[in-house]
Amino acid sequence: MTDPNPPITILEEFLLLALDDSSGQFHSLARSTLDCASAGAVLMDLTLRQRIDNDLRDMFVTNGTPTGNPILDPVLQLMSIAPVLTPKPIIYWLQQLADEGQSLREQALRQLEANGILRREDAKILWVFGTRRYPILQEKERREAKLRVLGVILRDDIPDAHDIMLVALAHACDLFRHILSDHELVQATSRIEQVAKMDLIGQAVAKAVTEIETAIAMASGFR
Amino acid sequence: MQPARLEPSALSGPEVMELEGRLDSGTAPLVSEDVLLCIQSGARHMILDCSNLTYMTAAGLRAIMALSQEMKSYSGDFAVCGLQPQVEALFTACGIQNFISVFGEQSDAVAALS
């Protein structure tokens, strides 16, 4: 059964998977994609902590008790004051929270830094352009996250909810091409898609990311 | 709002549990507790009859997936039957039929697991 109080959040694990091993920077993902995935990760974290639930149409707060997590509780509070009689779909909350995506990410990265898992390095390129890297100090958490998603896609049983959500986020952001070889990816694609489909929040993130990428592609084509 | 209800079936063969009402974040822990008790008591073939289950949320679905996995860890068989439209739509949207055996009628599920 899934731990209702996992020690590391989905958002933190997702960020660890999204960081490139060698450069310490995020894999090439559009900022809006990262924002959307970060928003989805927070909704998943609140779901795992049994604070929110959803059906095919709407998402709703089922327990407004604070979780004790400084990133999740303001979001839970925001969702709790939304009118109960007019529940909103997952995509509504994704859009609302994606606007705060960078802030959510910054807070999670600070938490990872505070826990000694990574460190922040700011530098200048050509004395002008600022660049930020997050070299990993403690590999255990990222290794465990990678091993878990690999375990999920290499087995054929039903994964637990936490792992399904992590796979769904990684799939939505196309991170498996950085985790698996091309050959492994071809072999595992069907299983990855099956597992990712099991989570409705992950489905909403994937849909939103596809729309973002389509919009970017169209904008690029018109240049 | 009527919670899901668990009733051991009078049929012989696999254990049949009849769910009724809603399976959501409020009722899923209760159903999980009862089904886990059955598994721990030795049940190795179990069917959840959802004929009278009118509403399910993602929390309910996660509970069913976790119970199926738990049964699998004991090398047992687990199936659901009688999905009503809202529940069936949720199963289909999440592709749960790829992971859990789903039957139309209880008799079909019983025959398959016997």
mmCIF file of all heavy atoms in Angstrom, chain B residues 55-81:
data_model
loop_
_atom_site.group_PDB
_atom_site.id
_atom_site.type_symbol
_atom_site.label_atom_id
_atom_site.label_comp_id
_atom_site.label_asym_id
_atom_site.label_seq_id
_atom_site.Cartn_x
_atom_site.Cartn_y
_atom_site.Cartn_z
ATOM 1 N N TYR B 55 -20.816 5.013 -7.861
ATOM 2 C CA TYR B 55 -19.872 6.130 -8.044
ATOM 3 C C TYR B 55 -18.512 5.740 -7.489
ATOM 4 O O TYR B 55 -18.422 5.152 -6.406
ATOM 5 C CB TYR B 55 -20.403 7.357 -7.303
ATOM 6 C CG TYR B 55 -19.486 8.565 -7.359
ATOM 7 C CD1 TYR B 55 -19.408 9.365 -8.498
ATOM 8 C CD2 TYR B 55 -18.710 8.914 -6.260
ATOM 9 C CE1 TYR B 55 -18.578 10.478 -8.540
ATOM 10 C CE2 TYR B 55 -17.871 10.022 -6.291
ATOM 11 C CZ TYR B 55 -17.805 10.794 -7.439
ATOM 12 O OH TYR B 55 -16.986 11.896 -7.476
ATOM 13 N N MET B 56 -17.475 6.063 -8.237
ATOM 14 C CA MET B 56 -16.114 5.788 -7.780
ATOM 15 C C MET B 56 -15.214 6.972 -8.137
ATOM 16 O O MET B 56 -15.364 7.570 -9.203
ATOM 17 C CB MET B 56 -15.574 4.510 -8.444
ATOM 18 C CG MET B 56 -14.229 4.049 -7.875
ATOM 19 S SD MET B 56 -13.522 2.646 -8.791
ATOM 20 C CE MET B 56 -14.628 1.343 -8.322
ATOM 21 N N THR B 57 -14.310 7.296 -7.233
ATOM 22 C CA THR B 57 -13.312 8.340 -7.515
ATOM 23 C C THR B 57 -11.951 7.690 -7.736
ATOM 24 O O THR B 57 -11.791 6.465 -7.596
ATOM 25 C CB THR B 57 -13.196 9.329 -6.339
ATOM 26 O OG1 THR B 57 -12.676 8.613 -5.215
ATOM 27 C CG2 THR B 57 -14.532 9.968 -5.998
ATOM 28 N N ALA B 58 -10.963 8.546 -8.010
ATOM 29 C CA ALA B 58 -9.600 8.045 -8.205
ATOM 30 C C ALA B 58 -9.098 7.341 -6.943
ATOM 31 O O ALA B 58 -8.359 6.354 -7.034
ATOM 32 C CB ALA B 58 -8.676 9.192 -8.582
ATOM 33 N N ALA B 59 -9.515 7.825 -5.770
ATOM 34 C CA ALA B 59 -9.089 7.171 -4.522
ATOM 35 C C ALA B 59 -9.646 5.746 -4.451
ATOM 36 O O ALA B 59 -8.959 4.817 -4.008
ATOM 37 C CB ALA B 59 -9.560 7.982 -3.312
ATOM 38 N N GLY B 60 -10.892 5.573 -4.881
ATOM 39 C CA GLY B 60 -11.486 4.236 -4.914
ATOM 40 C C GLY B 60 -10.756 3.327 -5.875
ATOM 41 O O GLY B 60 -10.491 2.149 -5.582
ATOM 42 N N LEU B 61 -10.418 3.883 -7.017
ATOM 43 C CA LEU B 61 -9.704 3.103 -8.036
ATOM 44 C C LEU B 61 -8.329 2.673 -7.517
ATOM 45 O O LEU B 61 -7.906 1.524 -7.707
ATOM 46 C CB LEU B 61 -9.549 3.956 -9.299
ATOM 47 C CG LEU B 61 -9.132 3.243 -10.564
ATOM 48 C CD1 LEU B 61 -10.171 2.206 -10.966
ATOM 49 C CD2 LEU B 61 -8.931 4.239 -11.694
ATOM 50 N N ARG B 62 -7.634 3.599 -6.858
ATOM 51 C CA ARG B 62 -6.311 3.253 -6.309
ATOM 52 C C ARG B 62 -6.443 2.144 -5.259
ATOM 53 O O ARG B 62 -5.586 1.264 -5.174
ATOM 54 C CB ARG B 62 -5.650 4.490 -5.685
ATOM 55 C CG ARG B 62 -5.032 5.420 -6.694
ATOM 56 C CD ARG B 62 -4.124 6.444 -6.024
ATOM 57 N NE ARG B 62 -4.863 7.303 -5.114
ATOM 58 C CZ ARG B 62 -5.538 8.382 -5.499
ATOM 59 N NH1 ARG B 62 -5.555 8.740 -6.757
ATOM 60 N NH2 ARG B 62 -6.198 9.106 -4.617
ATOM 61 N N ALA B 63 -7.518 2.199 -4.480
ATOM 62 C CA ALA B 63 -7.725 1.153 -3.462
ATOM 63 C C ALA B 63 -7.896 -0.208 -4.134
ATOM 64 O O ALA B 63 -7.308 -1.207 -3.696
ATOM 65 C CB ALA B 63 -8.947 1.496 -2.613
ATOM 66 N N ILE B 64 -8.686 -0.253 -5.205
ATOM 67 C CA ILE B 64 -8.910 -1.530 -5.906
ATOM 68 C C ILE B 64 -7.604 -2.045 -6.516
ATOM 69 O O ILE B 64 -7.292 -3.234 -6.440
ATOM 70 C CB ILE B 64 -10.015 -1.362 -6.973
ATOM 71 C CG1 ILE B 64 -11.359 -1.247 -6.251
ATOM 72 C CG2 ILE B 64 -10.007 -2.519 -7.964
ATOM 73 C CD1 ILE B 64 -12.563 -1.317 -7.130
ATOM 74 N N MET B 65 -6.819 -1.135 -7.096
ATOM 75 C CA MET B 65 -5.533 -1.561 -7.681
ATOM 76 C C MET B 65 -4.601 -2.108 -6.597
ATOM 77 O O MET B 65 -3.921 -3.111 -6.799
ATOM 78 C CB MET B 65 -4.877 -0.396 -8.416
ATOM 79 C CG MET B 65 -5.643 0.013 -9.671
ATOM 80 S SD MET B 65 -4.732 1.158 -10.727
ATOM 81 C CE MET B 65 -4.656 2.620 -9.729
ATOM 82 N N ALA B 66 -4.599 -1.430 -5.445
ATOM 83 C CA ALA B 66 -3.717 -1.883 -4.353
ATOM 84 C C ALA B 66 -4.172 -3.256 -3.835
ATOM 85 O O ALA B 66 -3.341 -4.118 -3.526
ATOM 86 C CB ALA B 66 -3.719 -0.857 -3.228
ATOM 87 N N LEU B 67 -5.486 -3.465 -3.759
ATOM 88 C CA LEU B 67 -5.997 -4.758 -3.274
ATOM 89 C C LEU B 67 -5.668 -5.872 -4.269
ATOM 90 O O LEU B 67 -5.299 -6.984 -3.869
ATOM 91 C CB LEU B 67 -7.511 -4.675 -3.051
ATOM 92 C CG LEU B 67 -7.931 -3.775 -1.890
ATOM 93 C CD1 LEU B 67 -9.434 -3.546 -1.896
ATOM 94 C CD2 LEU B 67 -7.482 -4.373 -0.557
ATOM 95 N N SER B 68 -5.788 -5.558 -5.554
ATOM 96 C CA SER B 68 -5.454 -6.551 -6.572
ATOM 97 C C SER B 68 -3.982 -6.943 -6.472
ATOM 98 O O SER B 68 -3.613 -8.123 -6.552
ATOM 99 C CB SER B 68 -5.757 -5.976 -7.963
ATOM 100 O OG SER B 68 -5.338 -6.869 -8.950
ATOM 101 N N GLN B 69 -3.131 -5.929 -6.269
ATOM 102 C CA GLN B 69 -1.702 -6.191 -6.147
ATOM 103 C C GLN B 69 -1.396 -7.004 -4.896
ATOM 104 O O GLN B 69 -0.557 -7.905 -4.902
ATOM 105 C CB GLN B 69 -0.923 -4.868 -6.143
ATOM 106 C CG GLN B 69 0.584 -5.017 -6.143
ATOM 107 C CD GLN B 69 1.097 -5.874 -7.298
ATOM 108 O OE1 GLN B 69 0.474 -5.967 -8.353
ATOM 109 N NE2 GLN B 69 2.208 -6.545 -7.076
ATOM 110 N N GLU B 70 -2.128 -6.679 -3.818
ATOM 111 C CA GLU B 70 -1.935 -7.415 -2.565
ATOM 112 C C GLU B 70 -2.285 -8.899 -2.771
ATOM 113 O O GLU B 70 -1.543 -9.789 -2.340
ATOM 114 C CB GLU B 70 -2.825 -6.805 -1.470
ATOM 115 C CG GLU B 70 -2.685 -7.430 -0.102
ATOM 116 C CD GLU B 70 -1.359 -7.112 0.576
ATOM 117 O OE1 GLU B 70 -0.614 -6.259 0.059
ATOM 118 O OE2 GLU B 70 -1.074 -7.729 1.612
ATOM 119 N N MET B 71 -3.416 -9.137 -3.454
ATOM 120 C CA MET B 71 -3.820 -10.520 -3.718
ATOM 121 C C MET B 71 -2.777 -11.228 -4.588
ATOM 122 O O MET B 71 -2.458 -12.402 -4.374
ATOM 123 C CB MET B 71 -5.190 -10.534 -4.402
ATOM 124 C CG MET B 71 -5.696 -11.921 -4.705
ATOM 125 S SD MET B 71 -5.926 -12.924 -3.202
ATOM 126 C CE MET B 71 -7.678 -12.738 -2.956
ATOM 127 N N LYS B 72 -2.234 -10.478 -5.557
ATOM 128 C CA LYS B 72 -1.226 -11.071 -6.441
ATOM 129 C C LYS B 72 0.023 -11.468 -5.652
ATOM 130 O O LYS B 72 0.677 -12.457 -5.968
ATOM 131 C CB LYS B 72 -0.860 -10.076 -7.545
ATOM 132 C CG LYS B 72 -0.117 -10.702 -8.696
ATOM 133 C CD LYS B 72 0.061 -9.739 -9.853
ATOM 134 C CE LYS B 72 0.865 -10.415 -10.961
ATOM 135 N NZ LYS B 72 1.156 -9.498 -12.068
ATOM 136 N N SER B 73 0.327 -10.686 -4.618
ATOM 137 C CA SER B 73 1.521 -11.001 -3.823
ATOM 138 C C SER B 73 1.349 -12.322 -3.064
ATOM 139 O O SER B 73 2.324 -12.910 -2.604
ATOM 140 C CB SER B 73 1.838 -9.858 -2.849
ATOM 141 O OG SER B 73 0.896 -9.832 -1.802
ATOM 142 N N TYR B 74 0.094 -12.762 -2.918
ATOM 143 C CA TYR B 74 -0.180 -14.077 -2.313
ATOM 144 C C TYR B 74 -0.452 -15.126 -3.400
ATOM 145 O O TYR B 74 -0.998 -16.188 -3.109
ATOM 146 C CB TYR B 74 -1.397 -13.996 -1.387
ATOM 147 C CG TYR B 74 -1.133 -13.271 -0.083
ATOM 148 C CD1 TYR B 74 -1.399 -11.918 0.049
ATOM 149 C CD2 TYR B 74 -0.625 -13.957 1.021
ATOM 150 C CE1 TYR B 74 -1.172 -11.254 1.244
ATOM 151 C CE2 TYR B 74 -0.394 -13.304 2.223
ATOM 152 C CZ TYR B 74 -0.663 -11.949 2.327
ATOM 153 O OH TYR B 74 -0.437 -11.292 3.511
ATOM 154 N N SER B 75 -0.128 -14.780 -4.646
ATOM 155 C CA SER B 75 -0.397 -15.652 -5.801
ATOM 156 C C SER B 75 -1.880 -15.987 -5.931
ATOM 157 O O SER B 75 -2.242 -17.088 -6.383
ATOM 158 C CB SER B 75 0.422 -16.954 -5.704
ATOM 159 O OG SER B 75 1.786 -16.641 -5.630
ATOM 160 N N GLY B 76 -2.732 -15.069 -5.531
ATOM 161 C CA GLY B 76 -4.172 -15.293 -5.635
ATOM 162 C C GLY B 76 -4.758 -14.643 -6.870
ATOM 163 O O GLY B 76 -4.053 -14.008 -7.650
ATOM 164 N N ASP B 77 -6.083 -14.823 -7.039
ATOM 165 C CA ASP B 77 -6.793 -14.231 -8.185
ATOM 166 C C ASP B 77 -7.754 -13.161 -7.681
ATOM 167 O O ASP B 77 -8.412 -13.336 -6.646
ATOM 168 C CB ASP B 77 -7.607 -15.303 -8.927
ATOM 169 C CG ASP B 77 -6.703 -16.359 -9.532
ATOM 170 O OD1 ASP B 77 -5.663 -15.977 -10.081
ATOM 171 O OD2 ASP B 77 -7.047 -17.553 -9.426
ATOM 172 N N PHE B 78 -7.851 -12.099 -8.448
ATOM 173 C CA PHE B 78 -8.700 -10.984 -8.050
ATOM 174 C C PHE B 78 -9.432 -10.489 -9.293
ATOM 175 O O PHE B 78 -8.832 -10.364 -10.364
ATOM 176 C CB PHE B 78 -7.812 -9.871 -7.476
ATOM 177 C CG PHE B 78 -8.553 -8.708 -6.895
ATOM 178 C CD1 PHE B 78 -8.909 -8.686 -5.556
ATOM 179 C CD2 PHE B 78 -8.884 -7.611 -7.685
ATOM 180 C CE1 PHE B 78 -9.590 -7.595 -5.014
ATOM 181 C CE2 PHE B 78 -9.560 -6.524 -7.145
ATOM 182 C CZ PHE B 78 -9.908 -6.514 -5.813
ATOM 183 N N ALA B 79 -10.724 -10.231 -9.156
ATOM 184 C CA ALA B 79 -11.485 -9.731 -10.309
ATOM 185 C C ALA B 79 -12.593 -8.807 -9.829
ATOM 186 O O ALA B 79 -12.953 -8.813 -8.643
ATOM 187 C CB ALA B 79 -12.088 -10.901 -11.086
ATOM 188 N N VAL B 80 -13.097 -8.012 -10.741
ATOM 189 C CA VAL B 80 -14.270 -7.181 -10.443
ATOM 190 C C VAL B 80 -15.335 -7.486 -11.489
ATOM 191 O O VAL B 80 -15.029 -7.955 -12.589
ATOM 192 C CB VAL B 80 -13.937 -5.665 -10.448
ATOM 193 C CG1 VAL B 80 -12.949 -5.314 -9.360
ATOM 194 C CG2 VAL B 80 -13.424 -5.217 -11.808
ATOM 195 N N CYS B 81 -16.595 -7.224 -11.128
ATOM 196 C CA CYS B 81 -17.677 -7.452 -12.085
ATOM 197 C C CYS B 81 -18.800 -6.443 -11.876
ATOM 198 O O CYS B 81 -18.832 -5.744 -10.860
ATOM 199 C CB CYS B 81 -18.211 -8.883 -11.960
ATOM 200 S SG CYS B 81 -19.019 -9.229 -10.393
#
